[in-house]
Amino acid sequence: MAGGRGAPGRGRDEPPESYPQRQDHELQALEAIYGADFQDLRPDACGRVKGPPEINLVLYPQGLTGEEVYVKVDLRVKCPPTYPDVVPEIELKNAKGLSNESVNLLKSRLEEVAKKHCGECLRMTSYRVYIDGTVD
């Protein structure tokens, strides 16, 4: 489907949202949720979506901030043009307080979550919930 699937709950007379529109909505939601821990890595990230999302999210166990944080990891997500109908590339970087084995296991599980929720809007927000339960 060239234009992507429409958002759930949209009326039958409304045209489905395009991939760039859906991606833009997801980026806005992620920026609102993560604030300073959200970074748009695309070269021309200002304004409307110019290309598929490529982002970095700094993730901590839920409820911890500042000097209390002994565990964190950067989640880098690079989306193809047809995201969310195609699974994005997931990479974990700059892990603190996690063994290589834990990082590899976490990456594997995040990829499973991505495949399970393929086609859903706001899929990336589910990564935070998963990581919060895993890294605690």
Side-chain angles (χ1 to χ4, degrees), residues 24-85:
D24 188 42
H25 292 154
E26 182 156 7
L27 290 178
Q28 289 173 19
L30 288 168
E31 188 169 16
I33 292 167
Y34 290 93
D37 293 327
F38 168 87
Q39 182 182 12
D40 192 334
L41 300 175
R42 295 171 298 169
D44 185 14
C46 56
R48 303 288 292 171
V49 171
K50 304 270 191 271
E54 186 172 346
I55 64 165
N56 187 76
L57 301 173
V58 181
L59 304 174
Y60 311 92
Q62 191 169 11
L64 297 180
T65 58
E67 294 180 23
E68 300 174 353
V69 177
Y70 299 103
V71 175
K72 75 171 193 161
V73 66
D74 288 354
L75 171 61
R76 294 202 179 176
V77 180
K78 184 174 183 178
C79 300
T82 54
Y83 173 85
D85 290 337

Side-chain angles (χ1 to χ4, degrees), residues 71-124:
V71 175
K72 75 171 193 161
V73 66
D74 288 354
L75 171 61
R76 294 202 179 176
V77 180
K78 184 174 183 178
C79 300
T82 54
Y83 173 85
D85 290 337
V86 176
V87 176
E89 292 177 33
I90 296 172
E91 188 177 8
L92 297 175
K93 293 191 161 249
N94 305 319
K96 177 181 173 185
L98 293 168
S99 68
N100 287 340
E101 183 180 337
S102 293
V103 171
N104 291 335
L105 179 61
L106 181 57
K107 182 177 187 265
S108 174
R109 290 187 177 167
L110 287 170
E111 288 170 340
E112 289 173 18
V113 169
K115 289 175 187 171
K116 179 180 176 184
H117 295 283
C118 189
E120 295 178 17
C121 285
L122 300 176
R123 177 187 332 152
M124 285 188 265

